Amino acid sequence: MMNVPELFGSMVFDDRMMKARLSANVYNSLQQTINQGKKLESGVANAVADAMKEWAISLGATHFTHWFQPMTGITAEKHDSFISPAPDGRVIMEFSGKELIKGEPDASSFPNGGLRATFEARGYTTWDPTSYAFVKDNTLYIPTAFCSYGGHALDKKTPLLRSMQALNKQALRVLKLFGNADVRRVTPSVGPEQEYFLVDQAMYGKRKDLIYTGRTLFGAKPPKGQELDDHYFGTIKPRVAAFMAELDEELWKLGVLAKTEHNEVAPAQHELAPIYTTANLATDHNQLTMEVMQKVAAKHGMVCLLHEKPFAGVNGSGKHNNWSLSTDTGMNLLSPGDTPYENAQFLLFLVAVIKAVDDYQDLLRLSVASAGNDHRLGANEAPPAVVSMFLGDELTAILEAIETDTPYSAAEKTQMKLGVHTLPRFARDTTDRNRTSPFAFTGNKFEFRMVGSSDSIACCNIMLNTAVAESLKQFADELEGADNFESSLHALIQKTIKAHKRIIFNGNGYEDAWLEEAARRGLSNLRTTPDCVPHMLDKKNVEMLTSHKVYTAAELEARCEILMENYCKVVRIEALTMVDMVQKDILPAVEAYSAALSGAAATKLALDTDTPCNYEKKLVKKLSALADQMDDKAEKLSLAIVKLKMVDGIEEESATIRDEILPRMNELRVAADEAETVTAAKYWPFPTYGELLFGLK
Ligand code: ADP
Ligand code: MG
């Protein structure tokens, strides 16, 4: 029998472990570093390092690594062993405070967007004591931030921590105005729901597209897709159930709060939802979750696909970023309260988020931009590329009443005057459900649904935290100087609703009518990565992000470049893979089948010259025409890829990819998929959609 409470966090150097293994003095100093950011004395660092090492060795660790999150890719690590030579020619196991606090990975091959001049090829990693160290694969993992020697952030964690600081600062100002003197810290809480696909490892191994790009680049629609809705929440296949059980166990050991496992809408698609935690930890844990998913899947003879759109024609995978604001006193600032006063505070935080999302739609959109997610946003299973907010009928009605100074509740007929004594109570109703909204209020949290399944959640939370910090800053500036708090508060909320209500949309976000309406409202519709990424450098965005010290202007330029570079590289690899598969696998298969058909016809004709052989003739003709088409389109695609080299500048290159490469890839696919539908199964060179999606026993 598994003792889950015992198992949970057993590989984590968490608070319980620190208390058990550190002296009271060292523990208290470390707590001050963790909670108040106090500098860590070297004596303390040495003591912590030593205790960590002893603990890690007791769990079988031989190595340690500074674990970090570079600007692209998943996570990075370089392993060092604990060994150190001893005078007697043997070794001892050593780990110093210096090694705990600072690492110097040779970082020259991590993307840096020009931030690190080549002469300073090294960056350094620094321990993030707010995220616990853990043991995995016989290695002590130390969560770290990654910077260049010039001090520029080369990772995703540093700006995330900065954004949490900015948000904390501004939220505390606002809370003070409401008399919450006891609150000392406000942190964003995040629960990311992770979607993924599982496919058979042997089938995966036969598809170059999956191996090289993580998604299928070809594949005719099988007779059955997701139309019966029989997979969602359906019974879980034994092999998948075994995977999920082991996944939970591995994640629990690492202190990840894996909570809910279920089947998703598309065949072979599943979801894992953790219990929410602090944004920083949730980000680290989500990276770990993605990694562990892939490892555990391999142990079960499967491959976990984290791509946003592994299969055309069925739903893609996203990550719902559930976000709220928690205080150290246990309040959720996005939870409607029990008293009018609490509700006034709730409404102010609510309109702060509304204003933030409206003012920085473009930043939220580009925080989830990638070549993979472009296939998902706007397809009819995922939210559109237009950012809008769903509030539900009741909240919308309340905001309307405040905006127009009209009675809200039919029963009470009281005016929504935010003198706060008269504000009617409203229920914490979470029954409103809208699955099509990119940014939905779900009772006591917002759910940002545009995030792609392989994205780091750091990026969207950085933008969200900072944009909300900006709203709160403006609010605090205004209210701190007010003569009459209550009337100023009312005026401020009313003014904010008026200015930003265009972002609220409670209808069906999948309909074309909404896109037209959104355009009339002046909402931005940035459909692809090349469309949205350059907006990172818009004046208003740079000013906002730098004023809260979340990014420097140079860091933003670097990120912009890296995002576009990554987009270009990804699509280029996809295009090359398509050409390769067509030329080396698909065309030869089609030719072989045509030859077999021709041979069959020739044999029949030899037997009897009057045999009509209509079937063979018709099919060979069709296959031949499709082969010519594929050949022609593959050649044009190859040529377009070669011509890319002549395009100057990354912005132009990404636009060319969007306008020239992707449409050619689509055309090539159409011809190949048609060929698949008329080619005998045993000739087709790799597993089909039907086999991949329904093949797990
Ligand atoms: P669903 O959205 O699928 O109906 P839930 O609302 O129960 O499911 O939760 C989805 C995710 O939201 C979970 O990861 C959960 O931990 C997280 N969550 C719940 N409450 C909050 C909150 N106050 N702040 C942030 N995340 C939350
Ligand atoms: Mg959800």
Side-chain angles (χ1 to χ4, degrees):
M1 273 277 283
M2 193 187 336
N3 182 340
V4 178
E6 190 94 332
L7 186 78
F8 188 84
S10 57
M11 303 302 259
V12 184
F13 197 69
D14 56 12
D15 194 59
R16 194 179 48 140
M17 225 15 95
M18 289 180 195
K19 268 204 187 106
R21 291 190 169 251
L22 300 173
S23 72
N25 274 345
V26 171
Y27 175 81
N28 288 334
S29 306
L30 183 59
Q31 284 308 306
Q32 287 182 351
T33 301
I34 294 173
N35 298 326
Q36 293 150 39
K38 284 229 171 89
K39 198 176 165 332
L40 201 64
E41 299 302 330
S42 72
V44 175
N46 280 329
V48 175
D50 202 54
M52 247 186 211
K53 178 199 70 185
E54 291 303 323
W55 166 80
I57 288 175
S58 77
L59 295 171
T62 50
H63 290 68
F64 68 92
T65 182
H66 274 203
W67 185 62
F68 58 101
Q69 303 174 20
M71 291 188 279
T72 58
I74 304 181
T75 53
E77 50 198 74
K78 180 190 111 189
H79 294 199
D80 276 301
S81 70
F82 288 123
I83 64 164
S84 169
D88 62 357
R90 304 181 62 85
V91 293
I92 50 167
M93 301 295 260
E94 257 186 6
F95 183 51
S96 68
K98 231 170 88 192
E99 285 170 307
L100 165 64
I101 290 173
K102 192 166 167 180
E104 299 192 27
D106 178 8
S108 48
S109 36
F110 290 109
N112 62 74
L115 268 185
R116 213 173 342 87
T118 25
F119 59 84
E120 52 161 316
R122 280 143 78 91
Y124 64 92
T125 49
T126 44
W127 179 32
D128 165 20
T130 62
S131 181
Y132 298 132
F134 54 91
V135 168
K136 186 168 73 72
D137 306 325
N138 300 327
T139 302
L140 169 65
Y141 278 72
I142 300 152
T144 59
F146 181 37
C147 291
S148 76
Y149 264 105
H152 291 300
L154 293 172
D155 67 349
K156 294 178 179 169
K157 173 171 281 218
T158 309
L160 178 64
L161 292 172
R162 291 174 184 160
S163 75
M164 289 167 67
Q165 238 167 42
L167 184 55
N168 175 52
K169 183 173 158 189
Q170 304 304 336
L172 286 179
R173 285 178 68 194
V174 168
L175 284 178
K176 204 173 265 163
L177 292 166
F178 282 90
N180 297 289
D182 55 333
V183 178
R184 288 173 56 202
R185 209 178 177 89
V186 176
T187 40
S189 293
V190 171
E193 301 164 66
Q194 176 74 48
E195 293 178 342
Y196 59 96
F197 280 84
L198 287 175
V199 296
D200 182 78
Q201 202 169 39
M203 291 187 200
Y204 171 94
K206 292 184 183 142
R207 295 209 48 142
K208 288 180 195 161
D209 47 4
L210 287 179
I211 294 172
Y212 294 141
T213 74
R215 73 175 178 112
T216 56
L217 299 168
F218 299 101
K221 214 177 149 5
K224 180 181 168 179
Q226 66 187 48
E227 45 286 278
L228 291 180
D229 283 326
D230 52 354
H231 191 256
Y232 190 53
F233 278 42
T235 34
I236 299 173
K237 288 176 182 161
R239 198 163 155 199
V240 174
F243 157 85
M244 287 177 173
E246 189 173 338
L247 175 63
D248 279 343
E249 201 178 318
E250 290 304 314
L251 291 173
W252 289 338
K253 281 189 208 164
L254 294 170
V256 177
L257 293 153
K259 173 78 174 165
T260 314
E261 304 265 12
H262 64 78
N263 283 357
E264 257 300 328
V265 174
Q269 192 184 30
H270 310 278
E271 180 184 295
L272 179 147
I275 298 171
Y276 65 94
T277 180
T278 314
N280 172 32
L281 261 187
T283 304
D284 285 1
H285 284 177
N286 183 248
Q287 296 294 351
L288 272 178
T289 300
M290 291 193 283
E291 197 187 312
V292 175
M293 275 176 169
Q294 283 165 317
K295 271 202 192 132
V296 175
K299 280 175 75 179
H300 291 259
M302 299 185 288
V303 177
C304 171
L305 303 177
L306 289 169
H307 194 282
E308 283 72 21
K309 193 73 183 173
F311 302 98
V314 297
N315 279 6
S317 298
K319 188 141 48 191
H320 293 175
N321 190 80
N322 293 273
W323 181 95
S324 68
L325 289 171
S326 312
T327 68
D328 59 341
T329 54
M331 260 193 292
N332 174 357
L333 299 175
L334 291 180
S335 183
D338 295 323
T339 64
Y341 211 77
E342 284 168 1
N343 278 348
Q345 180 182 298
F346 160 72
L347 283 174
L348 189 64
F349 278 95
L350 183 78
V351 298
V353 182
I354 293 171
K355 173 176 161 57
V357 174
D358 185 32
D359 282 341
Y360 299 101
Q361 300 160 42
D362 45 0
L363 286 181
L364 286 170
R365 167 65 184 94
L366 68 85
S367 75
V368 298
S370 68
N373 215 12
D374 280 2
H375 296 290
R376 184 178 154 261
L377 298 178
N380 66 0
E381 89 269 0
V386 178
V387 179
S388 68
M389 293 174 94
F390 168 87
L391 291 184
D393 292 340
E394 184 174 27
L395 266 187
T396 306
I398 290 172
L399 295 189
E400 258 164 29
I402 297 172
E403 182 200 345
T404 54
D405 278 326
T406 49
Y408 155 63
S409 129
E412 294 183 48
K413 291 278 179 216
T414 46
Q415 267 213 344
M416 288 294 286
K417 196 80 190 150
L418 267 162
V420 258
H421 299 109
T422 46
L423 181 70
R425 292 166 61 155
F426 45 88
R428 268 175 260 210
D429 184 7
T430 57
T431 51
D432 267 330
R433 279 286 184 227
N434 176 316
R435 291 275 163 209
T436 66
S437 175
F439 206 107
F441 185 71
T442 44
N444 60 1
K445 60 180 161 62
F446 278 101
E447 187 168 335
F448 184 41
R449 301 190 178 125
M450 288 169 92
V451 190
S453 48
S454 68
D455 278 340
S456 158
I457 56 167
C459 308
C460 67
N461 285 302
I462 293 167
M463 296 309 179
L464 186 54
N465 292 343
T466 318
V468 173
E470 173 64 21
S471 298
L472 294 174
K473 178 191 167 287
Q474 291 183 23
F475 290 178
D477 286 348
E478 192 164 330
L479 293 175
E480 278 168 358
D483 295 330
N484 181 325
F485 177 67
E486 290 196 357
S487 62
S488 305
L489 177 69
H490 180 81
L492 175 62
I493 292 180
Q494 195 174 49
K495 178 175 85 178
T496 309
I497 296 168
K498 275 201 177 97
H500 299 287
K501 64 176 179 187
R502 65 172 186 166
I503 197 79
I504 297 165
F505 175 63
N506 292 327
N508 183 353
Y510 294 173
E511 278 170 5
D512 289 339
W514 162 236
L515 294 184
E516 289 159 27
E517 164 72 12
R520 275 194 296 277
R521 293 189 189 187
L523 301 180
S524 71
N525 184 5
L526 302 166
R527 292 186 44 247
T528 68
T529 301
D531 295 325
C532 66
V533 169
H535 288 285
M536 193 181 281
L537 303 180
D538 286 358
K539 193 162 171 280
K540 78 164 183 29
N541 293 335
V542 176
E543 276 176 7
M544 190 276 285
L545 290 164
T546 55
S547 76
H548 290 279
K549 302 196 164 42
V550 169
Y551 288 110
T552 63
E555 286 171 351
L556 283 170
E557 273 164 37
R559 272 153 187 82
C560 189
E561 187 168 325
I562 287 172
L563 277 173
M564 279 191 292
E565 233 170 39
N566 185 255
Y567 173 86
C568 294
K569 283 182 191 162
V570 166
V571 183
R572 213 171 154 270
I573 292 169
E574 290 180 347
L576 290 170
T577 304
M578 284 187 94
V579 172
D580 182 280
M581 287 172 80
V582 162
Q583 292 178 339
K584 295 195 183 134
D585 303 320
I586 299 178
L587 280 174
V590 168
E591 284 303 285
Y593 183 45
S594 300
L597 286 167
S598 308
T603 311
K604 285 189 195 173
L605 287 168
L607 192 70
D608 175 355
T609 47
D610 285 341
T611 318
C613 294
N614 288 336
Y615 166 66
E616 291 87 348
K617 283 184 198 159
K618 198 176 77 187
L619 199 47
V620 169
K621 227 179 229 162
K622 181 159 191 182
L623 286 167
S624 183
L626 285 168
D628 287 346
Q629 271 184 43
M630 281 188 274
D631 173 57
D632 176 53
K633 290 179 193 305
E635 204 170 300
K636 287 194 171 122
L637 180 56
S638 293
L639 207 67
I641 300 169
V642 171
K643 276 182 25 202
L644 263 187
K645 288 206 186 85
M646 288 173 292
V647 179
D648 237 6
I650 195 73
E651 208 170 319
E652 291 70 20
E653 190 181 336
S654 64
T656 310
I657 282 181
R658 177 195 59 204
D659 302 334
E660 308 277 335
I661 304 284
L662 282 166
R664 287 194 164 81
M665 285 165 62
N666 284 337
E667 283 174 24
L668 179 55
R669 176 177 183 146
V670 169
D673 289 356
E674 201 182 333
E676 185 194 324
T677 61
V678 291
T679 300
K682 70 170 187 180
Y683 283 87
W684 201 249
F686 38 74
T688 61
Y689 265 34
E691 291 165 315
L692 284 166
L693 289 169
F694 298 97
L696 276 186
K697 291 289 164 309

